[in-house]
Amino acid sequence: MELNVCWMYHDIMDLYGDKGNMMVLKKRCLDRGIQIKIDTLSIKDECDLSTYDLLFLGGGADKEQKMLIDDLLSRKENIAKAMNENTFILLICGGYQLFGQYYISADNEKIEGLKFFDYYTETGSNGTRCIGNIAIECDLDGNKITAVGFENHGGQTRNVKTPLGHVLHGYGNSFEGKQEGFYNGQVLATYMHGPLLPKNPEITDFVIYKALKKRNPDITLQDLAPLDDTLEHQAKEYMLKRLSSK
Ligand code: GLN
């Protein structure tokens, strides 16, 4: 089996170790004999995104989001085609925000989003930001997972019809909502950096499985050979214990 990935704006959107997501995705594929090719995409690069099994877009500060938004919007039709053809999409923080209606940045500038989804993001009042470690409970197509990460965002994302999970510790989409991220079966978007995939091998495997499904429709999550996740589980247990004792 093989997996073709496009890492969008790798040179611009890479906050708090987001590139670790691609390293771990690669490692967990290679450990199982799954061939993986990770292409990168920068502003103005010519590329048909619909040919990929997985698109990945990391987080970025307002400045970076503004730098790439025109290029991203110019690819809207192509991203829609990718979605129609069952490409799976993983989005972190700043990338997550840009798939919604709009993002109002810290300096009160409105950045129009791709508008694929109903959610929108506005910056918190008085420049307040959601910062710190976060733990959530989520249900990925029936697989119940406790995920951990780190968040640092001013944006408050509201009107999320299908959140990724319920917040156990931290903030998530907004200060008040106790909801985190977005998941609709094909697009998994989250505020969790840290990075997400190394800290949560269950999510990595879920993403690999969903992306492989594009060209292998009969595959199940159980078809992925188990790997030794002892260290990752210990790290997660430790973090959850620390968060609960606060
Ligand atoms: N610039 C956005 C915000 O502050 C996204 C930040 C990020 O990707 N961590 O809300």
Side-chain angles (χ1 to χ4, degrees):
M1 271 189 295
E2 55 170 34
L3 195 69
N4 288 337
V5 183
C6 183
W7 180 4
M8 299 174 73
Y9 310 111
H10 65 291
D11 46 353
I12 305 173
M13 299 291 271
D14 179 29
L15 269 184
Y16 315 117
D18 283 345
K19 71 155 73 78
N21 291 317
M22 291 297 96
M23 293 163 81
V24 158
L25 191 82
K26 186 171 175 185
K27 173 93 173 87
R28 291 182 80 83
C29 282
L30 294 180
D31 283 355
R32 296 181 165 113
I34 300 167
Q35 285 181 37
I36 175 164
K37 188 156 124 343
I38 303 179
D39 292 341
T40 53
L41 173 94
S42 297
I43 288 174
K44 290 210 168 98
D45 283 353
E46 260 178 50
C47 169
D48 181 358
L49 295 167
S50 69
T51 60
Y52 289 95
D53 304 306
L54 174 67
L55 305 181
F56 169 66
L57 175 55
D62 294 8
K63 185 171 150 223
E64 279 92 44
Q65 290 172 290
K66 285 176 198 169
M67 265 167 76
L68 64 78
I69 190 62
D70 288 346
D71 189 83
L72 182 68
L73 293 179
S74 75
R75 299 180 197 271
K76 178 170 175 165
E77 231 173 84
N78 192 223
I79 298 171
K81 182 167 184 268
M83 292 203 274
N84 277 335
E85 293 175 12
N86 295 326
T87 295
F88 194 74
I89 303 182
L90 176 63
L91 306 168
I92 313 283
C93 200
Y96 165 29
Q97 295 170 346
L98 298 180
F99 271 60
Q101 295 292 312
Y102 60 84
Y103 168 49
I104 306 224
S105 66
D107 56 6
N108 216 22
E109 199 178 313
K110 186 173 187 185
I111 304 172
E112 294 295 341
L114 286 163
K115 302 189 196 305
F116 285 130
F117 309 116
D118 292 334
Y119 63 78
Y120 58 85
T121 306
E122 292 169 345
T123 291
S125 52
N126 310 320
T128 47
R129 300 182 67 81
C130 299
I131 304 177
N133 287 322
I134 172 167
I136 69 167
E137 249 170 5
C138 51
D139 184 330
L140 296 174
D141 299 359
N143 302 286
K144 292 205 179 358
I145 291 168
T146 303
V148 295
F150 166 78
E151 60 183 326
N152 183 351
H153 53 102
Q156 306 290 298
T157 301
R158 301 203 171 87
N159 200 28
V160 183
K161 305 265 166 69
T162 53
L164 169 66
H166 171 78
V167 175
L168 301 171
H169 305 282
Y171 304 107
N173 287 338
S174 63
F175 277 113
E176 72 283 352
K178 287 277 166 209
Q179 289 183 343
E180 208 288 314
F182 170 88
Y183 177 62
N184 69 350
Q186 187 179 20
V187 177
L188 193 160
T190 177
Y191 272 111
M192 291 195 288
H193 297 275
L196 174 77
L197 300 187
K199 285 193 171 167
N200 300 287
E202 310 88 339
I203 297 187
T204 315
D205 288 355
F206 184 75
V207 169
I208 293 172
Y209 146 70
K210 292 290 276 194
L212 284 173
K213 219 170 161 53
K214 174 171 177 171
R215 283 187 282 157
N216 305 273
D218 295 332
I219 194 173
T220 67
L221 188 54
Q222 287 67 37
D223 291 334
L224 295 185
L227 300 175
D228 181 4
D229 296 332
T230 313
L231 202 59
E232 288 86 344
H233 288 153
Q234 282 173 353
K236 189 179 289 198
E237 284 310 312
Y238 182 75
M239 184 166 160
L240 288 169
K241 215 186 276 173
R242 289 286 299 262
L243 285 170
S244 315
S245 66
K246 277 194 176 168

